[in-house]
Amino acid sequence: MTLMDKVRVRFAPSPTGPLHMGGVRTALYNYLFAKKHNGDFLLRLEDTDQTRLVPGAEQYILDALSWCKINIDEGLGHGGDLGPYKQSDRKPMYRQYADILLEKGHAYYAFDTAEELDEMRQRMKNAGVPSPQYNSVVRDSMQNSISLSADEVKQRLDRGDSYVIRIKMPRNEEVKINDTIRGWVVVNTNNLDDKVLFKSDGMPTYHLANVVDDHLMKISHVIRGEEWLPSAPLHVLLYRFFDWECPAFAHLPLILKPDGNGKLSKRDGDRLGFPVFPTEWTNPETNEVSSGYREEGYFPEAFTNMLAFLGWNPGTAQEIFSMDELVESFSLQRVGKAGAKFDFDKTKWFNQQYLRSKSGDELAELIHSKIPKSKDADGVFLAKVCELMKERATFVEDIWESSQLFFDSPTEYDEKTHRKKWKEHTPDILKKVTELFGGMSDFSAENVEKEFKSLLEENEWGLGMVLPTFRLAVTGKGMGPSMFKISELLGKDEVVERIETAIQKLS
RNA sequence: GCUCCGUUCGUCUAACGGUUAGGACAUUAGGUUUUCAUCCUAAAAAUAGGAGUUCGAUUCUCCUACGGAGUACCA
């Protein structure tokens, strides 16, 4: 592409199931790159294999990207002038391109049946070839328009015999790709095979379709997973055969499983207990549910921030990046070459950082829906509770769970604290505390602390002896935030009442 | 097997020929806190191995080892 051309990138998933977090990262990098260069981010559905369609997968992809705030400029579900953006809807467009290749002599008809192909592979294996290929060495011995006479080919075509169209891979030619992330990659065509471009069902294969569509949709940069690197030379050759300008290529490193080696898979998530999908997915066949980051309580910002750092880094110490900051800082030059092992602990850390950066008001808003109608807590109170509790939470859910004490008096008391701290004289001490509180008019945290401490001082009671029982009586727990702040939020009457109840129950 | 890609602390990574090889997560130890969490401080922790090129290699080249991906009428 020339410098004047607009940056246009695409994310082209296949609707064969839910979008894996590796796929989301590919989409994210495409999106960041596009936005960084004021370009377009397109979504195209690669559904040329109709047998592998999974109901709901298409909608899942749309929803998941939307949750991640990876906004689509053009494509599936978002309009655009170069559609349709679903390859099955483009079916009639592909044949003409296969014909061009046929005419130019870069492709040929192949009539081999599945049995004949199997037979060939078996024959080659017996001859000591580990992974047999349909290439120039076997080409002549197969049923195709190169080995067969023109008459025979015409006859078969007229008869309506089933056929595919294969690329005629040139002999002994070096194909060079300048990958933006990896530099020059050179492959000799002798190692490539005569890939099927056009299937017998009238659909193109991925290889033909992605090249044709990328060209037609004016894609400037192809940013995709490393698993495509081996077939990139084939794609480059196709651009050449069509006489089309080749987009720039960038092959992203894989996301690896946290332990051991290999690509991160759904099984790893099940085994190690973390989601591998952005949002929850129910397998329509088995009804098996796979957990999602959204449902597990992650902020989409935390999820995408974490994902951005799996393979990319800004070169500075900053780790928390808003989407806008990611756009600003992103560059393919700073994407690593090696696969990155997924780190679930770090993922939680990211979420914690985002949680803590939110105000009490924002958190109250998020938590509000969880509160039973009967409680009807007012927003100001809730915001204060959130502000107090957020320091010890990773998820919004944590806040809610640890905040029960603000809405219900304890029904049970921490057994360990009771056993270790609740002494014979404890009820008397706590009675004194209630008397003290009862006479106070200023029940602010500061004042409660001041009065409480001076009471202890006067009587020479240790803080470590009284405070845990005070906490136990009011919250039923052995740990938590400052008791003085809790007292302020609960209010004098509630605190006194809870202490009195506890004295009765625990003595 | 073959082709391609890769290899810095346990993990994510920085250092694009010259640094005591830096940061973050996790870990450990202190400190703060009534407690838990937070927070602060500190510690431990890496250039896969071998040849070259160079005054000097984490960085460039080659070999080995290890790992990964690909090798379908799947994407």
Side-chain angles (χ1 to χ4, degrees):
Chain A
M1 71 167 239
T2 66
L3 251 32
M4 300 306 286
D5 285 339
K6 191 171 193 192
V7 166
R8 284 169 65 82
V9 299
R10 83 310 195 266
F11 177 56
S14 176
T16 52
L19 201 54
H20 174 274
M21 58 192 279
V24 177
R25 192 197 54 170
T26 300
L28 176 65
Y29 283 13
N30 270 282
Y31 172 77
L32 295 176
F33 182 80
K35 296 298 105 181
K36 167 78 181 182
H37 297 98
N38 299 312
D40 297 329
F41 173 67
L42 325 221
L43 177 66
R44 183 174 71 220
L45 206 66
E46 310 249 327
D47 60 344
T48 52
D49 186 353
Q50 296 288 300
T51 65
R52 294 211 311 159
L53 290 188
V54 172
E58 180 179 333
Q59 192 56 45
Y60 181 95
I61 291 164
L62 254 8
D63 293 344
L65 292 178
S66 162
W67 179 67
C68 293
K69 300 193 176 73
I70 297 173
N71 302 322
I72 297 154
D73 294 307
E74 181 180 326
L76 189 71
H78 293 77
D81 299 333
L82 301 174
Y85 295 91
K86 193 198 271 200
Q87 289 181 330
S88 57
D89 292 340
R90 301 169 69 81
K91 186 175 178 179
M93 311 175 55
Y94 297 109
R95 178 60 205 234
Q96 55 184 304
Y97 294 100
D99 285 339
I100 291 174
L101 262 14
L102 246 16
E103 278 161 34
K104 289 186 173 184
H106 288 129
Y108 60 89
Y109 295 101
F111 302 97
D112 314 277
T113 62
E115 294 72 38
E116 285 168 329
L117 287 170
D118 279 348
E119 196 186 308
M120 178 273 280
R121 293 194 180 106
Q122 200 49 53
R123 197 170 65 236
M124 297 297 283
K125 272 186 180 163
N126 293 342
V129 180
S131 51
Q133 293 188 314
Y134 200 118
N135 58 17
S136 60
V137 313
V138 299
R139 201 145 64 202
D140 291 334
S141 60
M142 303 301 286
Q143 308 287 314
N144 56 55
S145 59
I146 291 176
S147 64
L148 268 21
S149 71
D151 281 350
E152 167 95 40
V153 171
K154 186 175 185 311
Q155 209 177 78
R156 287 190 183 227
L157 255 21
D158 290 346
R159 204 199 300 158
D161 279 10
S162 181
Y163 66 87
V164 300
I165 297 172
R166 288 178 180 271
I167 186 170
K168 186 182 175 193
M169 191 55 67
R171 280 293 288 170
N172 199 28
E173 224 177 90
E174 304 260 271
V175 182
K176 293 189 194 143
I177 304 156
N178 192 5
D179 187 277
T180 309
I181 293 170
R182 289 153 209 282
W184 287 103
V185 176
V186 184
V187 180
N188 190 294
T189 53
N190 288 353
N191 296 311
L192 270 20
D193 62 348
D194 290 359
K195 277 270 177 302
V196 172
L197 300 176
F198 198 85
K199 302 189 272 189
S200 58
D201 66 358
M203 279 292 240
T205 60
Y206 168 83
H207 300 107
L208 209 221
N210 106 86
V211 166
V212 167
D213 288 349
D214 283 345
H215 175 257
L216 262 23
M217 294 177 187
K218 304 183 191 302
I219 297 302
S220 62
H221 299 255
V222 171
I223 304 169
R224 73 224 303 195
E226 187 184 343
E227 67 270 27
W228 292 110
L229 195 49
S231 52
L234 167 67
H235 304 155
V236 169
L237 237 28
L238 286 173
Y239 281 101
R240 193 182 299 167
F241 291 162
F242 281 122
D243 237 337
W244 292 340
E245 203 175 357
C246 205
F249 287 100
H251 290 93
L252 268 21
L254 264 15
I255 295 180
L256 275 17
K257 56 185 67 185
D259 57 340
N261 300 299
K263 201 156 67 157
L264 179 70
S265 73
K266 179 187 166 307
R267 282 224 65 75
D268 299 312
D270 295 344
R271 182 170 56 87
L272 271 11
F274 59 80
V276 295
F277 301 118
T279 63
E280 196 170 272
W281 165 259
T282 304
N283 184 319
E285 298 244 318
T286 62
N287 279 325
E288 183 200 357
V289 177
S290 298
S291 64
Y293 282 89
R294 179 176 63 190
E295 289 73 13
E296 295 278 308
Y298 288 82
F299 297 113
E301 298 81 12
F303 180 63
T304 48
N305 195 156
M306 175 279 293
L307 236 30
F309 269 71
L310 231 40
W312 169 86
N313 78 85
T316 66
Q318 186 183 349
E319 294 199 88
I320 302 301
F321 280 78
S322 67
M323 194 62 108
D324 286 344
E325 289 173 315
L326 285 174
V327 166
E328 184 54 37
S329 310
F330 188 79
S331 86
L332 288 173
Q333 276 66 40
R334 296 205 69 92
V335 173
K337 301 186 222 288
K341 285 186 183 174
F342 173 65
D343 185 345
F344 191 43
D345 282 328
K346 190 90 183 220
T347 306
K348 284 188 274 200
W349 177 82
F350 272 111
N351 206 66
Q352 187 188 32
Q353 297 302 307
Y354 276 87
L355 184 87
R356 292 176 49 187
S357 71
K358 297 210 186 302
S359 68
D361 283 336
E362 288 173 288
L363 292 170
E365 192 64 36
L366 292 172
I367 228 173
H368 194 73
S369 59
K370 298 178 188 292
I371 295 180
K373 288 244 160 49
S374 59
K375 294 288 190 299
D376 200 32
D378 81 277
V380 178
F381 176 72
L382 203 53
K384 284 180 181 167
V385 170
C386 290
E387 191 60 50
L388 186 60
M389 303 308 282
K390 74 176 184 182
E391 291 299 318
R392 63 209 70 218
T394 299
F395 303 103
V396 171
E397 185 67 23
D398 295 340
I399 296 182
W400 169 236
E401 278 172 12
S402 57
S403 297
Q404 296 299 323
L405 66 98
F406 291 102
F407 305 101
D408 294 300
S409 26
T411 49
E412 51 189 39
Y413 297 87
D414 182 67
E415 197 270 325
K416 193 177 156 197
T417 309
H418 182 218
R419 177 159 38 82
K420 293 181 74 172
K421 300 288 183 181
W422 196 274
K423 308 289 186 201
E424 222 172 293
H425 52 275
T426 299
D428 293 331
I429 294 174
L430 289 180
K431 257 179 209 132
K432 285 274 181 348
V433 172
T434 58
E435 283 165 19
L436 168 75
F437 287 172
M440 287 173 62
S441 52
D442 174 9
F443 209 65
S444 67
E446 296 75 32
N447 206 42
V448 172
E449 179 167 7
K450 201 184 88 194
E451 296 291 335
F452 184 87
K453 283 184 172 167
S454 56
L455 174 73
L456 263 57
E457 237 170 83
E458 281 166 29
N459 294 281
E460 296 186 338
W461 294 327
L463 203 60
M465 177 184 70
V466 184
L467 252 170
T469 56
F470 175 33
R471 177 184 300 283
L472 186 70
V474 176
T475 71
K477 298 187 190 314
M479 59 181 96
S482 158
M483 272 315 292
F484 308 116
K485 288 183 178 168
I486 290 176
S487 298
E488 176 185 318
L489 283 176
L490 247 25
K492 183 171 80 175
D493 296 345
E494 178 71 18
V495 171
V496 169
E497 192 187 313
R498 287 190 186 189
I499 294 176
E500 282 167 352
T501 306
I503 291 173
Q504 283 181 8
K505 285 190 177 173
L506 295 174
S507 295

